[in-house]
Amino acid sequence: MAFPETNIELQLPYRKHLKVGDIFRLRYPGERYFLGQVSSLNAKAGGFDDCILINIFEFEHSTPMQISSLPSLELLIAPLYINRLGFSRGYMPVIGNAPVKKTSSEYCYFDVLYKKYLDSEGNEIAGPKGLVGSWGLSNYLVIDDLISEKLGLPIKG
């Protein structure tokens, strides 16, 4: 079965049980690597239960390093609520585990259905703050579009 075309490069499938604190790697063309971390396995957003909440960090490196701690807590994009597809298909292999620390980036979410901005707990706020994410379930294709836009790469698919 062929997967949709993405700028995220295929690595190794990860089919083990995820744990809070798992650190994963995203690989982009030109040896560009980004790290992310699982911060919750039972998050709720946009009417979906048991979402995986992830952070993707702004730090970019040019080698597929193994890590024991995260080099930065600044976010590249707002935290996302995702399913397991990116892990099981091989786009987001887990390379380590570290305690989850509070990010230093400001962010909020936009609820497309109700046309309002929400904080990380789902409470309505007056307007956007910092990075703006989508209040609902996403997947690795959404991650790819968001990061590709940041990197100036053409959106695939």
Side-chain angles (χ1 to χ4, degrees), residues 58-78:
E58 193 171 47
F59 179 75
E60 178 181 339
H61 50 97
S62 59
T63 59
M65 63 189 213
Q66 296 292 330
I67 54 102
S68 59
S69 65
L70 293 166
S72 167
L73 292 178
E74 291 292 323
L75 296 176
L76 180 64
I77 59 176

Side-chain angles (χ1 to χ4, degrees), residues 20-52:
V20 170
D22 278 349
I23 298 169
F24 59 90
R25 177 180 59 218
L26 299 166
R27 182 173 71 195
Y28 277 82
E31 298 299 315
R32 299 173 87 174
Y33 294 89
F34 294 90
L35 298 177
Q37 186 175 36
V38 174
S39 61
S40 176
L41 294 170
N42 56 359
K44 298 178 182 186
F48 295 94
D49 295 334
D50 297 323
C51 300
I52 302 166

Side-chain angles (χ1 to χ4, degrees), residues 28 32 34 58 60 75-78 130-132 143-153 155:
Y28 277 82
R32 299 173 87 174
F34 294 90
E58 193 171 47
E60 178 181 339
L75 296 176
L76 180 64
I77 59 176
L131 300 169
V132 180
I143 294 168
D144 183 51
D145 288 351
L146 293 170
I147 294 176
S148 294
E149 184 179 338
K150 289 264 185 179
L151 299 178
L153 298 172
I155 304 297

